[in-house]
Amino acid sequence: MASLSPSSHGLKILGYEIGRVMIEGVLICSTNGTANPVSNATVFLTCGGSTISLAEAVTDLYGAFTIVLNIIQTLLFDPSFCGIGTNLPNGGCGVEFPDDVVYAPLSLVGIGRTNNIFTAFYRAGPFS
């Protein structure tokens, strides 16, 4: 669905040259069947198994976050190899995760155009 084309010099999705990427999601902990938002947590975008963050955001009171990639970051973004991660406090959410890090995959929601800039909109899937 997405490809980096040498002739386009950037991210191309469904034939559109993407100049901006917007990723939205909600970080929720489910304990004892109750969903609770995780506020004030840093979420980060990594690609290709790298430990270096391409971009970061902090969750709000409701666990929601938005990451917007600029044109340079968009050039480095490949949705096939990128995901959202966060570090949970030790024992966060009442469960133990390896290295206390959880990740969420990305799903393309749509493509929009503003002032001749095509934006790809992604949603972060459930964290696990």
Side-chain angles (χ1 to χ4, degrees):
M1 181 178 299
S3 67
L4 290 174
S5 168
S7 61
S8 69
H9 303 292
L11 180 64
K12 196 170 195 173
I13 300 174
L14 302 174
Y16 298 103
E17 291 192 28
I18 304 300
R20 181 181 311 135
V21 172
M22 181 177 287
I23 302 166
E24 295 182 332
V26 179
L27 181 57
I28 293 181
C29 275
S30 293
T31 54
N32 299 328
T34 304
N36 299 305
V38 179
S39 61
N40 204 31
T42 300
V43 294
F44 50 87
L45 174 68
T46 59
C47 298
S50 173
T51 57
I52 298 171
S53 171
L54 185 58
E56 296 179 351
V58 176
T59 59
D60 66 11
L61 183 63
Y62 305 101
F65 63 90
T66 301
I67 294 176
V68 180
L69 303 182
N70 63 33
I71 187 72
I72 302 299
Q73 292 165 316
T74 298
L75 291 172
L76 301 172
F77 176 76
D78 183 342
S80 301
F81 299 104
C82 295
I84 299 291
T86 187
N87 294 326
L88 293 175
N90 194 5
C93 292
V95 229
E96 296 291 330
F97 294 100
D99 302 322
D100 295 316
V101 178
V102 292
Y103 291 97
L106 300 174
S107 299
L108 180 65
V109 175
I111 297 172
R113 180 176 142 183
T114 306
N115 298 329
N116 294 326
I117 297 174
F118 286 100
T119 302
F121 296 94
Y122 285 86
R123 179 170 293 127
F127 286 82
S128 59

